[in-house]
Structures are given as C-alpha cells and as structure tokens.
Amino acid sequence: MECFTHNKTPLFFLVLLATLTNVALGQGTRVGFYRTSCPRVEAIVQSAVDAANRANPGVPPGLVRMFFHDCFVNGCDASILITGPGSERTAPPNSLLRGFEIIDAAKTELERVCPGVVSCADILAIAARDSVLLAGGIARWPVPLGRRDGLVSRAADTANLPAFNDAVNVQIRKFSEKGLNTQDLVTLSGAHTIGTAACALFSYRLYNFNNTNGPDPSIDQTFLPTLRNLCPNGGDGTRRVALDTGSENRFDNSYFSNLRNRRGVLESDQLLWSDPTTQRLVQRFLGVRGLLGLTFNVEFARSMVRMGNIEVKTGTQGEIRRVCSAIN
C-alpha cells in the first residue's frame, strides 16, 4: 500500500489542499474558518479525542460512523447529537453509536475559551478526522469549517441511512442522492479498516442466512468458525467485533484485501466485492495490475471532505448551540 511518508507528504499535502479547497468553495465552508475567532479549536478537539482514546481506544473510531450518520440525515448539522424523544439519536440505526461524550467534552472547553463561536457540527467534523489519525497510516488533512447546527432532529428521517444489509445498487443510490459517487461509496466504506460492529448487525449471516439454515455462502469457510466463536447463535448481540480482521487498529487498505478474501464482516461490505462496478474500485485500491491504482489515504481524505459538505448550513442558517445535545 502506498502511504504518506515524511518525504512525500509535502507534495501530497499541496495537491490535497488544492482539491479540498475546490470541494469546499461554494459550500460555505473553508479551511481556517476559525483562524481569528477561535484559533485553538482544532487543538482543543484533538485533545478531547486523545483523552478518550487513552481511556478506551475502542471509542474514537465510532466518531467516523457518527459523522457519517449525521451527514446522511438532513446534512452535516450535528442533529445526531440532539437528545430527547423522537430525535435521530433514538432511531434504531443510531442506537449503537458511541463517542457522544467526546464531542461534549470538546464543546465544554470551547465554550469556556470561545463562547458561542464553534458549532457542534464542526466539532464533529474535526473529531472524525482526528479519530482516523489515531490509527496512523494517514497524514492529517485540512478540514473545511463553517457549518452551523441544525434546528431539527427526527428519528423518522433516518429511514434512508445506508444499512448494513443494503444491496450494492441501493448503496449506490443512497450515496448518489447525497451527491456522492460510487468511488466515494467504496472509499468511505474503507473506514471500516478501523473500528468494530456489534454481533447483532451481522450474526444473521452466520447461522440462518436468508432462511437457508446455513451461513452466507460469500463468507470464507475458514473464517466462519472465528465469527461464530465471537458471536454464538443466540448470544450477546452487543458484543463488538473488529471490522478489519488482522489490522483493526491500523488505518490501511487491508479492509479491501479482506473483501477480496471473502472476510468482510458486514454484508454490505462483502457485497462490494461481488458487484463488478464496486469490485473494480476495490481492485484499484489493492493495486491490481492492469488497473489505474488509487491511493486510499488520499482518496479517503477527499471523500471525507465531500461528505462533510452534504447539505451544510452556513451563514445565518441554523444556530451555534451552547450545548450540543440541545437546541438553544
């Protein structure tokens, strides 16, 4: 896998910065938005993420998923953070999200240093980036900022979130509806190179897949006993299992190798290998001979910025929440 090195970083950084600037322009966000109003914003958020990682290394990777779930429902506006009956946070797809306390910790400190300035939506965007950096293997990328916080959070609006059992054509459609293409889909799915999933999200593949009284045939038969041992039939559905076997704590492209080897944990992930369109993109990340290669580190940063600009609220839209879990 081609990774950033100290020698390569300056060139990649310049190319990436130019790309991200172009992506952000016209969206109302920009790199350096808080340069004068709250110059310590990124350091404060990073400190909160680092502290959480020291306490429990399994929690910060969930911030990427939280950011994803936020952006796909009414845009990147921190509506996922709002508590209360009927809010997005109460919806079944969000019931297993982790890391809310990290955002709260960062917001508390930012309100002390820069009261009423930094949005919860921007805190989440920065924290998602920083959680990836903890896993290594990728250079820090600039995050365009300037989002404002949403005023609406409804559980019903989560119905169209990409799901763990979505067919590839459904995944492609859901991404397209948010202005993201198939390459973004495969690239952002690569975030599963870090983090975990609850047994409840995939154990149906192990025992009675599609009422066959047998496992999903797309699972490598030598991998099946490992998954069954981790998630016994009728066992604890909340138990967490690494999504990238053998490299769950490192941000690299081994996730794509696992798809090729039929070791994808989630059904929606493994299906990316069975569909010719998405399989070709997986192969490009793996550097298959005869195909134009893709560098996962670079493409992931680009896709994260593209996703981070979905239906953003800027200017006088929305608000800057004082507490991330409640509308002012």
Side-chain angles (χ1 to χ4, degrees), residues 277-325:
T277 302
T278 49
Q279 183 188 95
R280 187 175 182 85
L281 288 163
V282 173
Q283 290 173 324
R284 290 178 66 187
F285 279 121
L286 290 171
V288 172
R289 183 174 298 178
L291 296 176
L292 180 64
L294 291 169
T295 302
F296 180 43
N297 298 340
V298 175
E299 299 306 326
F300 185 79
R302 287 174 176 159
S303 290
M304 281 287 283
V305 170
R306 283 166 57 85
M307 182 180 73
N309 277 297
I310 293 175
E311 301 168 21
V312 293
K313 296 164 182 64
T314 59
T316 59
Q317 298 172 315
E319 65 179 8
I320 304 296
R321 283 184 220 140
R322 292 186 294 271
V323 176
C324 290
S325 60

Side-chain angles (χ1 to χ4, degrees), residues 189-236:
S189 296
H192 291 164
T193 186
I194 56 175
T196 60
C199 289
L201 298 182
F202 65 88
S203 59
Y204 68 92
R205 301 181 65 206
L206 310 181
Y207 301 101
N208 186 26
F209 182 68
N210 288 344
N211 295 316
T212 60
N213 291 317
D216 183 343
S218 69
I219 301 175
D220 172 24
Q221 291 304 297
T222 65
F223 185 46
L224 183 61
T226 299
L227 292 178
R228 283 179 165 174
N229 182 57
L230 292 168
C231 301
N233 196 11
D236 181 5

